[in-house]
Amino acid sequence: MTTELYFIFDSHCPWSYATTPLVNALQQAYPDMTIHLLHSAHYIGKDSAGEEQMQAAAKASGVKFGREHIRYANSPKNSIKSANLMAWMQDKQVNKQLPLLNALQMAHFIDGNPLNTKHDFTAIVEKLKLSPSNKVFKDELSVDAENILEAIAEIQQMLGTTSFPVLVMTVNDNAIFIDHSQYLNNPQGVVAAVEQEIVAIQQPKKH
């Protein structure tokens, strides 16, 4: 059985932050699964999800938001450098991608780190022992990040939606669309639901 998980998200989106525990739970349940973390680079310094969305995400899930983040919840967010770093990781150290995403979201949503300058990433890069190139920290999307946006567009076309976050799991040639909103307050529930889907997929078709 070949399993892959596709997670379309933005590191600065509170709903994506609330959905990451589902990705963590699925990764623990299926340690051999290939995970594709696809950063949509939605926030480019012009707007933010805002305090209302943040409160709604907190209410729907068990994730916490730190005081420093709450203070600046309505100020514009820029996730371009995070998108570049995540894209760089996909080629270089794919096994550290999910720990990196968790670290970025912790820094942003708990510590209030805007992740807007190269310096903002120093502690995370050192902790995970990464050595990203300087082009990762430019103010425009890298070629790798642009390629990921193309992959996202293909998935969105297939699903018929441009909203995010999105979770899709493939099992061999079958795709399971996971309605993340049902499991935000119960990440283990998504594992049970996926297991049921896989059992159904693997049952022999009746002619």
Side-chain angles (χ1 to χ4, degrees):
M1 184 175 80
T2 309
T3 51
E4 299 190 39
L5 184 69
Y6 296 83
F7 180 34
I8 301 174
F9 69 97
D10 188 293
S11 54
H12 289 47
C13 157
W15 290 107
S16 297
Y17 170 51
T19 305
T20 300
L22 277 61
V23 180
N24 293 334
L26 287 166
Q27 196 267 332
Q28 283 167 354
Y30 300 96
D32 298 328
M33 178 168 62
T34 304
I35 296 181
H36 306 274
L37 299 177
L38 307 172
H39 197 307
S40 65
H42 177 77
Y43 295 105
I44 54 171
K46 290 189 165 63
D47 63 348
S48 68
E51 194 171 351
E52 272 184 42
Q53 296 265 13
M54 181 201 71
Q55 286 174 344
K59 193 175 175 185
S61 70
V63 297
K64 300 277 183 278
F65 292 87
R67 192 180 302 158
E68 280 305 300
H69 177 77
I70 294 166
R71 272 179 64 191
Y72 298 102
N74 291 321
S75 56
K77 306 288 179 264
N78 189 326
S79 64
I80 286 175
K81 292 180 180 70
S82 297
N84 288 347
L85 183 57
M86 292 298 301
W88 176 84
M89 288 289 281
Q90 202 159 49
D91 286 341
K92 301 294 184 291
Q93 290 174 291
V94 77
N95 61 320
K96 287 186 180 175
Q97 260 201 307
L98 192 51
L100 172 61
L101 175 58
N102 279 285
L104 290 173
Q105 290 177 327
M106 194 69 70
H108 185 64
F109 291 106
I110 300 292
D111 303 333
N113 183 336
L115 299 171
N116 204 14
T117 67
K118 184 180 178 181
H119 177 72
D120 291 341
F121 293 86
T122 304
I124 294 169
V125 164
E126 285 175 359
K127 188 179 174 191
L128 291 173
K129 298 183 169 59
L130 310 176
S131 50
S133 62
N134 278 328
K135 66 181 179 188
V136 162
F137 300 109
K138 287 187 170 173
D139 288 330
E140 65 268 356
L141 286 173
S142 65
V143 174
D144 290 342
E146 293 273 11
N147 290 340
I148 285 172
L149 291 188
E150 286 177 22
I152 289 173
E154 283 178 26
I155 294 169
Q156 287 177 331
Q157 198 171 359
M158 184 183 79
L159 296 174
T161 178
T162 55
S163 63
F164 67 92
V166 165
L167 273 177
V168 178
M169 187 171 171
T170 59
V171 181
N172 299 333
D173 295 330
N174 300 278
I176 301 168
F177 175 74
I178 299 167
D179 182 0
H180 62 277
S181 65
Q182 289 189 39
Y183 308 104
L184 291 179
N185 60 358
N186 176 23
Q188 287 309 314
V190 80
V191 175
V194 162
E195 278 170 7
Q196 283 184 320
E197 292 268 8
I198 291 173
V199 167
I201 285 167
Q202 291 179 329
Q203 279 177 345
K205 299 264 194 296
K206 290 187 175 133
H207 292 289

